[in-house]
Amino acid sequence: MEVEVKPIKQPHHTAALRAAFPATIPVLTGYLCIGMAYGLLMANAGYGVFWALLLSLLCYAGSMEFVAVSLLTAGFDPVQALLMALMINARHAFYGLSMLDKYKNTGWKKFYLIFGMCDESFTVNCTVTPPDDVDRGWFMFFVNLLNQIYWVFAATAGALLGYVIHFDTTGIEFVMTELFVVMFLNQWEESKDHLPALVGLICSAICLLIFGSSNFIVPSMIFIIVAFTAERRFSKKPEVAAK
């Protein structure tokens, strides 16, 4: 008499972690450079490893953390810091609107998904489709968690390295721009439809000319949403009545 042996099914969170890790490897490689650059800036500004670790844990906002270094070294001005943070991270509001449907039915994980939604995690969760047997909520959760772990580790390592190596860090914050360019090129190569990318470039260029480099981000995001909404509305074909 043969006994059927059923395969042991992995817990849903374990399967999600296994699926999320390969998708975050490109972010890991970028964060190792960018996070260490941020840690070096913190050390160069006179802040210890603890502060680099704490800020990367609580203020998980990428480019805002680079700006925070100059805000910390400047005079105490909470209003300016608040307005600066709102302007730099205003794009996250548009990210959140586009993730409303994906964050449904994720339970308690939704709170961390909202907190940990940086540019890179947003890109991965929007472009990568997990396997059919993997819970999407857990997949997105581990994408966010792994990316933040990478960032905290790299920032802390950079701060430690800053006590050993001393050099002029002027211009090192440009690594954030380099990461965004690489992500854009990667999506351009993987996607056959380049219309969204072209719309984003054109809208951003127009707003850059009109509003200047310090104030063009929010108008660009609004312009892009309006353009996509109009394109979607005009591209809808009239339904043909069933015969």
Side-chain angles (χ1 to χ4, degrees):
M1 180 178 179
E2 295 183 357
V3 179
E4 182 181 357
V5 179
K6 295 183 179 180
I8 300 176
K9 187 177 181 180
Q10 291 182 340
H12 51 279
H13 55 274
T14 303
L17 177 59
R18 290 179 177 272
F21 176 68
T24 60
I25 290 178
V27 180
L28 168 61
T29 57
Y31 273 8
L32 287 177
C33 297
I34 298 173
M36 292 186 70
Y38 162 69
L40 288 170
L41 284 176
M42 286 290 287
N44 188 62
Y47 289 91
V49 177
F50 171 77
W51 292 108
L53 172 64
L54 184 64
L55 197 61
S56 59
L57 278 172
L58 301 180
C59 180
Y60 181 47
S63 54
M64 183 58 208
E65 291 188 47
F66 282 86
V67 177
V69 177
S70 60
L71 292 176
L72 289 171
T73 55
F76 181 70
D77 192 348
V79 176
Q80 180 186 359
L82 175 63
L83 294 176
M84 184 73 69
L86 288 176
M87 289 298 297
I88 293 176
N89 293 322
R91 65 188 186 280
H92 289 184
F94 300 96
Y95 293 169
L97 290 174
S98 64
M99 298 297 284
L100 289 176
D101 290 335
K102 292 187 177 182
Y103 282 0
K104 286 182 178 179
N105 304 319
T106 54
W108 60 268
K109 297 185 289 296
K110 181 185 298 184
F111 297 100
Y112 182 70
L113 290 173
I114 295 172
F115 168 77
M117 186 178 60
C118 62
D119 300 278
E120 295 76 20
S121 296
F122 171 78
T123 302
V124 174
N125 287 328
C126 283
T127 57
V128 178
T129 302
D132 295 335
D133 59 340
V134 172
D135 180 78
R136 187 171 187 87
W138 276 106
F139 175 82
M140 294 188 296
F141 173 84
F142 281 117
V143 166
N144 286 22
L145 180 61
L146 288 171
N147 286 343
Q148 186 172 14
I149 290 174
Y150 303 153
W151 178 260
V152 173
F153 171 79
T156 306
L160 287 171
L161 188 62
Y163 285 97
V164 181
I165 302 176
H166 301 278
F167 61 94
D168 185 9
T169 57
T170 303
I172 198 172
E173 64 274 5
F174 187 73
V175 292
M176 289 296 298
T177 304
E178 293 177 345
L179 177 63
F180 292 143
V181 171
V182 172
M183 292 174 62
F184 173 81
L185 294 176
N186 182 57
Q187 292 184 23
W188 180 279
E189 292 178 354
E190 292 182 355
S191 177
K192 295 181 179 179
D193 184 11
H194 295 160
L195 179 61
L198 293 174
V199 170
L201 288 175
I202 294 173
C203 292
S204 299
I206 293 175
C207 291
L208 178 62
L209 293 174
I210 297 175
F211 300 100
S213 59
S214 301
N215 304 305
F216 82 101
I217 295 179
V218 175
S220 297
M221 299 299 294
I222 297 175
F223 194 6
I224 290 170
I225 290 178
V226 171
F228 283 147
T229 302
E231 188 275 336
R232 183 176 181 182
R233 179 170 298 180
F234 287 114
S235 64
K236 284 184 177 179
K237 297 181 180 179
E239 297 182 359
V240 180
K243 296 182 180 179

